[in-house]
Amino acid sequence: MDNSDQILDACTKRRTFAIISHPDAGKTTLTEKLLLYSGMIHAAGMVRGRKGRKAAASDWMAMEQERGISITASAMQFAYKDVLINVLDTPGHEDFSEDTYRTLTAADCAIMVIDAGKGVEKQTRKLFEVCRLRKIPVLTFINKMDMPGRDPLDLMNEVESVLQINSFAMNWPIGTGREFLGVYDRIKKESLIFTKVSHGGAQKAEIAHVSLDNSDIKNKLGEANYQALVQEIELLDMAGNAFDREEFLAGKVTPVFFASALTNFGIEPFFDAFIHLAPSPHIREAVASDGKEIEINPVETPFSAYVFKLQANMDRRHRDSMAFLRVCSGRFERDLVVKHHRLGREIRLSRPHGMVAGERTTLDFAYPGDIIGVINPGVFAIGDTISMTGGFNFKPLPQFQPEIFARVNPTDVGKRKSFDKGILQLTNEGAIQLFRPYEYVGEAIFGAVGQLQYEVMQYRLKDEYGVETTLTSLPYSCSAWLLGDFKTYKKTSTCLVVQDRSERPVVLFSSQWEKQYAITQNPNHQLVDILI
Ligand code: G4P
């Protein structure tokens, strides 16, 4: 195999994705079942009972602690059947932050987990919006079908109306709640009936492949429920077109799967369908030095990657931070000397790390779709492009409007200089956003997407710069960039207009209602939530 055949083969085998959901929908459980079905763990349940752990830790940190791995992974790589999975960690809990959004940009597709009892929830909507803007195809996994939940058709309608995307049921639940027996595969036209396994679905569930008119199904569901099921399936067949993978890849339709991650019902057929439907690493858009938009082909372009996440090392004995890179093209080899486009110089990528088969390892090589972590002695910023050839930059990462705001000041005024130095570093890393009011330019305001960002900020200012700080929350709960003539913008009574680091005007609002009202008052201005 020559080099490009090798890269093509590696690309074809890889699936790089993220799981998005609102807290408690079942993301951790589903991730764990992926590990179970891929043979990475032999019994599920090690993440269970994690209620006592520190609230701000990501679930993966808990998993890693179980395995004696001390560093938080940004992605894990392992084999599922004949493909190589790269699953990205997108924390969705208390540690929800801008990182969560940025990490999504490194994914080629996403699995959206929805709780069948709750439908489309707030964080899922926000994360889905990022997928739409970045043209990331989304599969929908409707979880907890073993619990009394909402009507499946209702849930599909909600996905369509709230997220503005067409949906296609790939399977249909056979019974729900305690009577959830399995799923009817609408593509293969067969019923998959599962056998209950030990508590928490620690082991794989056995599957019986039977036809829909199987007498066992009829007996267990009862005549009325069985007839209703047959009618629903007929209705779906009559109403909808055939599933079109191209439309899914283009983000026009989301394939929907019903399952129960806890009991393993519908899990294996979902993973099997996923690896078949999900795209391999593909072309990425970039901007050449002359400003022209170009496409970076994963196989034909020599090695290129971009930084999507920086992570401070919380251990003070190792002050360097880690930079996480998504490989976009070519083959990466350890000690490769690459061009750092923003700095305009060459750097050697030594000691690259990855999480392979659950272990943090030094990577000797990596291919498109893979995530590599390198020590960052202050040379990497979020969004930096590196490559063998130089001459282009991957599109900038989207910037999101923060939702919580605070003033942070050094407790000891004598530490102002160290404080300013620390703030400069943290804002450069994208760890926190800094705004300055037009009127009182000295009074900086810090914006975050999640509370954890402040905790990390205060911790690092103390640990790395020796500055204790006080934090005063501000009464704003949403914001937006202001496009249009800033001077003619009509302010609402409790809003505050500030400027971001690039001197762009941003309006902070005390409520969504105020923001909506401001929109109606300013028809010639545009308020933007995400800068793409
Ligand atoms: P998250 O990562 O999206 O936040 O969700 P997670 O997997 O932690 O699941 C949240 C809760 O929902 C857990 O219960 C989990 O056991 C439960 N759960 C996940 N999938 C299913 C499912 O298919 N059916 C049912 N019935 N429950 C499900 P918990 O009580 O909060 O935690 P634990 O005590 O079980 O660990």
Side-chain angles (χ1 to χ4, degrees):
M1 242 196 253
D2 74 13
N3 204 20
S4 66
D5 285 345
Q6 216 172 37
I7 299 170
L8 179 63
D9 185 55
C11 277
T12 314
K13 284 206 179 96
R14 275 164 171 74
R15 303 287 181 275
T16 301
F17 67 97
I19 305 179
I20 60 174
S21 71
H22 193 83
D24 276 344
K27 188 172 73 117
T28 314
T29 311
L30 185 64
T31 308
E32 200 184 28
K33 295 309 165 73
L34 187 53
L35 297 176
L36 176 72
Y37 277 89
S38 63
M40 283 272 295
I41 54 174
H42 298 294
M46 63 185 194
V47 195
R48 305 256 72 81
R50 59 190 186 286
K51 277 181 176 152
R53 75 191 156 86
K54 193 172 171 283
S58 109
D59 289 322
W60 282 28
M61 257 154 98
M63 270 197 238
E64 287 156 23
Q65 275 160 14
E66 296 267 357
R67 288 154 175 263
I69 301 162
S70 58
I71 175 177
T72 309
S74 195
M76 268 209 262
Q77 184 179 77
F78 51 88
Y80 176 78
K81 300 197 173 164
D82 52 357
V83 308
L84 213 58
I85 299 272
N86 286 309
V87 50
L88 293 152
D89 185 16
T90 48
H93 297 72
E94 293 81 357
D95 40 1
F96 192 74
S97 71
E98 284 191 85
D99 265 353
T100 311
Y101 288 137
R102 289 198 203 105
T103 298
L104 259 186
T105 68
D108 293 322
C109 84
I111 296 172
M112 172 169 72
V113 181
I114 290 177
D115 182 330
K118 298 193 174 140
V120 181
E121 295 175 87
K122 187 176 165 209
Q123 270 183 31
T124 313
R125 274 209 306 273
K126 290 202 263 178
L127 291 162
F128 180 86
E129 203 45 44
V130 182
C131 293
R132 186 207 306 283
L133 290 164
R134 299 292 292 198
K135 302 193 179 78
I136 298 168
V138 176
L139 294 99
T140 301
F141 180 90
I142 299 195
N143 192 29
K144 307 198 186 181
M145 291 306 295
D146 59 304
M147 300 268 282
R150 287 172 44 190
D151 177 59
L153 274 175
D154 247 23
L155 289 165
M156 300 250 310
N157 284 337
E158 186 168 295
V159 166
E160 296 208 343
S161 62
V162 174
L163 305 177
Q164 294 290 300
I165 186 168
N166 291 332
S167 64
F168 184 96
M170 301 296 279
N171 65 22
W172 201 248
I174 301 177
T176 55
R178 290 162 77 94
E179 272 81 49
F180 183 47
L181 306 178
V183 291
Y184 175 73
D185 183 330
R186 292 188 59 221
I187 310 298
K188 294 189 183 137
K189 307 230 176 286
E190 61 173 5
S191 307
L192 308 177
I193 304 300
F194 296 85
T195 310
K196 270 217 168 78
V197 283
S198 55
H199 178 71
Q203 307 299 333
K204 297 179 184 181
E206 267 178 46
I207 313 173
H209 297 249
V210 297
S211 76
L212 190 57
D213 60 7
N214 178 282
S215 57
D216 240 21
I217 300 180
K218 282 185 200 169
N219 292 340
K220 284 187 180 143
L221 285 186
E223 190 57 29
N225 287 342
Y226 176 76
Q227 287 309 332
L229 169 73
V230 172
Q231 275 173 15
E232 276 171 356
I233 292 171
E234 277 173 9
L235 249 170
L236 286 170
D237 286 348
M238 275 180 342
N241 306 327
F243 176 71
D244 183 344
R245 183 168 179 254
E246 292 309 311
E247 289 207 335
F248 155 65
L249 295 179
K252 290 182 182 151
V253 64
T254 178
V256 178
F257 297 82
F258 292 87
S260 160
L262 189 67
T263 62
N264 300 344
F265 282 28
I267 289 292
E268 195 173 7
F270 169 70
F271 291 148
D272 289 350
F274 167 76
I275 57 170
H276 173 68
L277 292 173
S280 308
H282 44 83
I283 280 170
R284 291 226 156 205
E285 292 171 353
V287 181
S289 331
D290 60 6
K292 279 206 187 98
E293 299 216 340
I294 56 168
E295 291 185 335
I296 302 301
N297 183 299
V299 180
E300 288 158 19
T301 313
F303 170 73
S304 70
Y306 74 93
V307 179
F308 66 92
K309 176 172 172 167
L310 294 180
Q311 188 166 58
N313 202 327
M314 302 293 257
D315 181 345
R316 59 179 310 143
R317 286 167 303 176
H318 306 282
R319 297 206 25 175
D320 288 338
S321 67
M322 294 279 287
F324 290 96
L325 303 157
R326 145 93 198 206
V327 181
C328 297
S329 68
R331 182 181 147 99
F332 166 81
E333 280 165 30
R334 189 174 165 183
D335 286 327
L336 205 63
V337 176
V338 296
K339 292 194 167 68
H340 186 308
H341 300 192
R342 181 174 56 85
L343 299 182
R345 67 171 161 103
E346 294 197 326
I347 52 164
R348 180 185 298 277
L349 296 177
S350 45
R351 292 169 61 202
H353 299 296
M355 283 287 294
V356 179
E359 301 291 331
R360 184 185 171 202
T361 50
T362 302
L363 290 180
D364 289 323
F365 53 84
Y367 289 98
D370 291 349
I371 307 302
I372 45 184
V374 290
I375 302 287
N376 178 25
V379 296
F380 291 115
I382 297 281
D384 278 351
T385 299
I386 54 167
S387 75
M388 294 304 289
T389 57
F392 66 89
N393 281 308
F394 288 106
K395 289 206 157 163
L397 296 194
Q399 253 197 303
F400 298 90
Q401 269 311 326
E403 291 171 10
I404 44 177
F405 301 87
R407 286 215 162 88
V408 179
N409 283 301
T411 320
D412 175 356
V413 282
K415 294 272 171 89
R416 173 59 69 175
K417 237 180 167 168
S418 307
F419 174 80
D420 287 345
K421 204 168 141 207
I423 293 300
L424 183 68
Q425 172 64 21
L426 291 174
T427 48
N428 278 346
E429 279 182 24
I432 200 101
Q433 288 193 40
L434 176 124
F435 302 99
R436 292 192 186 280
Y438 283 101
E439 290 90 4
Y440 321 96
V441 176
E443 287 277 340
I445 291 176
F446 296 92
V449 170
Q451 195 65 37
L452 183 75
Q453 279 179 262
Y454 289 127
E455 281 171 39
V456 171
M457 174 190 184
Q458 288 191 286
Y459 179 89
R460 289 188 59 192
L461 283 171
K462 183 168 165 235
D463 191 55
E464 295 172 29
Y465 299 90
V467 188
E468 293 268 7
T469 50
T470 52
L471 182 139
T472 318
S473 298
L474 294 172
Y476 304 106
S477 61
C478 56
S479 59
W481 275 280
L482 175 63
L483 306 185
D485 185 0
F486 162 53
K487 291 187 200 77
T488 58
Y489 180 74
K490 281 198 208 110
K491 284 198 234 169
T492 40
S493 59
T494 48
C495 82
L496 180 69
V497 184
V498 294
Q499 51 188 321
D500 71 4
R501 290 177 73 218
S502 312
E503 298 183 359
R504 291 174 298 215
V506 174
V507 194
L508 314 189
F509 297 102
S510 57
S511 66
Q512 277 294 341
W513 182 89
E514 188 191 15
K515 184 172 166 183
Q516 290 311 318
Y517 179 69
I519 293 171
T520 61
Q521 294 302 298
N522 291 281
N524 297 326
H525 292 77
Q526 212 189 333
L527 290 174
V528 183
D529 291 336
I530 305 172
L531 282 188
I532 286 294

